[in-house]
């Protein structure tokens, strides 16, 4: 006689299907779970909401939120943070802030994921002051900054031309024992190029090489744009050869940058 799956088993399967983007399987498994008389819990609904949000099916996510509440379960920090992040990624900052404020209203405390999503969205909206206020609140709440938080801060500061502050955040991250990745290096490089400080950008690039950080297409595109803006076509060609040597495929953006620089 077989053993019937329980809620934990179903949740594990839902999470697995969700990570691979098999949305129909996720929804089908949820229906099977209910038909089997296995009660969904908060983790079940958080998984369903997360899958729906990542697939840009917000009406479905709200439907699962309604079902969650109708079954007598209370949304938790993960539930609210998932909606906050989804709205932030869509550029719908006001809706994200509504969920953030609702968290406080129902007695829930935002976590580092909540704050990082909001900081990133405010930076992208050009609201750096609001982003820094959220950072201050985040630290006061005892939340630790992770590599994603540091990256969105550095990127936001660089976009506003605040390179000194961006450098300070980068140093603070290293002191915090967090190892820089390609994204945060690229944000710094992009900032230096925008500030017409190409020599500093190249220093960061060399630092990446010393730390054996893999160079991706976005990084190369940023550096090629930088050296081309300085009229250094020889360096651009060298970077192109380096890309090919590392197996990074040159895309149309880089070719367009090179052609534009050649005809200037």
């Amino acid at each position: 006689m077989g053993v019937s799956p329980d809620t934990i088993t179903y949740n594990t399967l839902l999470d697995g299907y969700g990570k691979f983007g098999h949305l129909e399987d996720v929804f089908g498994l949820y229906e099977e779970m209910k038909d089997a008389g296995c009660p969904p819990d908060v983790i079940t609904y958080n998984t369903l909401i997360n899958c729906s949000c990542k697939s840009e099916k917000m009406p479905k996510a709200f439907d699962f939120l309604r079902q969650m509440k109708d079954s007598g379960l209370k949304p938790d920090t993960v539930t609210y943070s998932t909606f906050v992040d989804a709205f932030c990624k869509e550029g719908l900052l006001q809706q994200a802030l509504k969920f953030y404020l609702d968290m406080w209203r129902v007695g829930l405390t935002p976590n580092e994921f909540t704050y990082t999503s909001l900081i990133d969205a405010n930076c992208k909206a050009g609201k750096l002051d609001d982003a820094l206020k959220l950072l201050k609140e985040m630290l006061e709440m005892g939340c630790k900054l992770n590599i994603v938080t540091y990256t969105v801060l550095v990127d936001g500061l660089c976009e506003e031309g605040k390179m000194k502050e961006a450098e300070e955040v980068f140093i603070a991250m290293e002191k915090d024992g967090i190892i820089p990745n390609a994204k945060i290096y690229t944000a710094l490089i992009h900032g230096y190029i925008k500030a017409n400080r190409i020599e500093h950008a190249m220093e960061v690039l060399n630092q990446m090489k010393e730390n054996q950080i893999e160079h991706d297409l976005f990084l190369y595109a940023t550096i090629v744009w930088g050296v081309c803006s300085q009229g250094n076509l020889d360096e651009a060609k060298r970077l192109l050869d380096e890309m090919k040597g590392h197996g990074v495929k040159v895309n149309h953006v880089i070719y367009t940058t090179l052609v534009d620089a050649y005809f200037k």
Side-chain angles (χ1 to χ4, degrees), residues 29-198:
L29 195 62
Y30 169 62
E31 293 302 325
E32 178 188 312
M33 182 179 184
K34 290 191 297 180
D35 291 342
C38 191
D41 60 9
V42 172
I43 294 172
T44 312
Y45 284 111
N46 282 345
T47 302
L48 292 164
I49 289 167
N50 185 46
C51 290
S52 300
C53 287
K54 283 185 175 178
S55 302
E56 298 180 358
K57 295 183 180 293
M58 293 305 290
K60 194 75 174 172
F62 275 104
D63 184 44
F64 285 128
L65 179 63
R66 179 190 56 77
Q67 291 182 47
M68 183 183 193
K69 290 178 177 178
D70 287 348
S71 66
L73 297 170
K74 290 184 178 180
D76 62 5
T77 297
V78 173
T79 319
Y80 280 96
S81 296
T82 302
F83 277 104
V84 167
D85 184 61
F87 282 125
C88 284
K89 282 183 168 60
E90 291 292 320
L92 301 170
L93 190 51
Q94 291 306 311
Q95 287 90 329
L97 287 170
K98 179 184 179 300
F99 267 87
Y100 163 72
L101 293 172
D102 278 349
M103 287 181 74
W104 287 108
R105 184 180 56 79
V106 299
L108 293 171
T109 305
N111 59 19
E112 60 271 15
F113 181 68
T114 324
Y115 282 115
T116 298
S117 299
L118 287 167
I119 289 168
D120 186 32
N122 275 281
C123 285
K124 283 183 169 62
K127 297 182 176 182
L128 186 59
D129 288 343
D130 289 340
L132 294 175
K133 286 176 186 175
L134 284 162
L135 173 65
K136 183 174 181 290
E137 183 182 299
M138 179 182 182
L139 294 170
E140 288 172 351
M141 294 301 298
C143 295
K144 285 188 70 68
L145 277 64
N146 56 32
I147 184 62
V148 180
T149 320
Y150 279 113
T151 301
V152 299
L153 281 168
V154 167
D155 189 49
L157 290 164
C158 287
E159 284 297 321
E160 293 293 317
K162 297 182 180 293
M163 293 311 299
K164 184 175 181 297
E165 291 87 343
E167 290 164 359
E168 289 171 354
V169 169
F170 189 87
I171 292 167
M173 179 194 68
E174 291 186 308
K175 286 181 178 177
D176 207 19
I178 296 175
I179 300 170
N181 61 15
K183 284 187 177 180
I184 197 164
Y185 275 122
T186 303
L188 262 183
I189 288 168
H190 186 259
Y192 281 130
I193 292 170
K194 278 187 67 178
N196 202 28
R197 294 165 64 183
I198 191 69

Side-chain angles (χ1 to χ4, degrees), residues 245-257:
H246 288 166
V248 180
K249 191 175 180 181
V250 182
N251 66 1
H252 71 282
V253 174
I254 293 176
Y255 279 126
T256 301
T257 301

